[in-house]
């Protein structure tokens, strides 16, 4: 049974038939159609494509919830997600943990396109690039928690 958001994403995709389109094209069409781009919408959107086209790992919500519960007991104030991808961990973790600083990194153009449109990314400092390299190169950065699903 499809959710309402899944139905809307599929309707937008169906309207685009007639030509080949990529995940960024569908993302743009969903935004133009007035869909709120959040984790639920992203799951529906990315399900239309194979892993090679999306190039991002889809984290099951149960895994995200488990990681957040582990971090919640420590009340971290500075959090890093060095491989944030499409924000499946970062967005809900930031909403629940509410740290002072939440830095997220992704190094694919599609991920950067998504982050520019995410409705549930307020308070997250998104950076386009390699989060691990940034952490290694910046000795002054300190974090209470690193939440991520490495590639």
């Amino acid at each position: 049974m499809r959710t309402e958001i899944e139905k809307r994403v599929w309707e937008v995709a169906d309207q685009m038939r007639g030509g080949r389109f990529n995940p960024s094209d569908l993302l743009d069409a969903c935004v133009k159609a007035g869909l709120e781009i959040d984790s639920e919408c992203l799951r529906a959107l990315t399900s239309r494509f194979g892993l090679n086209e999306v190039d991002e790992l889809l984290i099951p919500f149960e895994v995200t919830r488990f990681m957040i519960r582990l971090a919640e007991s420590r009340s971290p104030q500075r959090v890093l997600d060095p491989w944030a991808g499409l924000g499946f961990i970062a967005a809900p973790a930031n909403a629940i943990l509410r740290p002072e600083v939440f830095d997220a990194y992704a190094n694919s153009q599609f991920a950067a396109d998504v982050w520019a449109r995410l409705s549930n990314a307020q308070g997250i400092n998104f950076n386009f690039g390699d989060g691990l390299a940034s952490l290694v190169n910046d000795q002054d950065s300190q974090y209470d928690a690193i939440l991520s699903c490495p590639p």
Side-chain angles (χ1 to χ4, degrees):
M1 182 80 172
R2 289 187 187 152
T3 66
E4 190 59 36
I5 194 72
E6 288 172 323
K7 289 177 189 173
R8 293 199 53 209
V9 168
W10 282 80
E11 287 170 6
V12 169
D14 287 343
Q15 293 170 2
M16 295 176 69
R17 288 198 180 165
R20 183 135 170 85
F21 57 91
N22 62 36
S24 291
D25 295 335
L26 181 55
L27 176 66
D28 289 341
C30 287
V31 169
K32 287 177 186 169
L35 274 78
E36 180 181 351
I37 306 301
D38 60 9
S39 296
E40 182 182 3
C41 183
L42 280 174
R43 287 184 195 284
L45 189 150
T46 55
S47 71
R48 300 278 310 201
F49 299 94
L51 183 59
N52 291 339
E53 293 174 292
V54 175
D55 195 32
E56 294 293 339
L57 184 63
L58 305 179
I59 310 299
F61 184 69
E62 294 78 18
V63 172
T64 299
R65 186 174 34 217
F66 174 74
M67 292 172 70
I68 293 169
R69 282 188 193 146
L70 288 176
E72 202 170 18
S73 65
R74 298 190 182 335
S75 302
Q77 292 306 301
R78 298 183 55 82
V79 179
L80 170 68
D81 185 345
W83 296 287
L86 303 179
F88 289 122
I89 295 173
N94 186 57
I96 292 169
L97 300 173
R98 299 186 189 277
E100 292 174 17
V101 174
F102 199 119
D103 292 332
Y105 288 80
N107 59 7
S108 80
Q109 186 57 54
F110 179 59
D113 292 345
V114 166
W115 277 91
R117 294 171 173 89
L118 271 179
S119 65
N120 58 345
Q122 299 84 0
I124 299 175
N125 305 316
F126 173 74
N127 301 279
F128 184 70
D130 185 341
L132 186 58
S134 176
L135 182 62
V136 169
N137 293 329
D138 184 1
Q139 300 297 320
D140 294 330
S141 292
Q142 294 186 2
Y143 294 96
D144 302 321
I146 297 176
L147 300 176
S148 199
C149 187

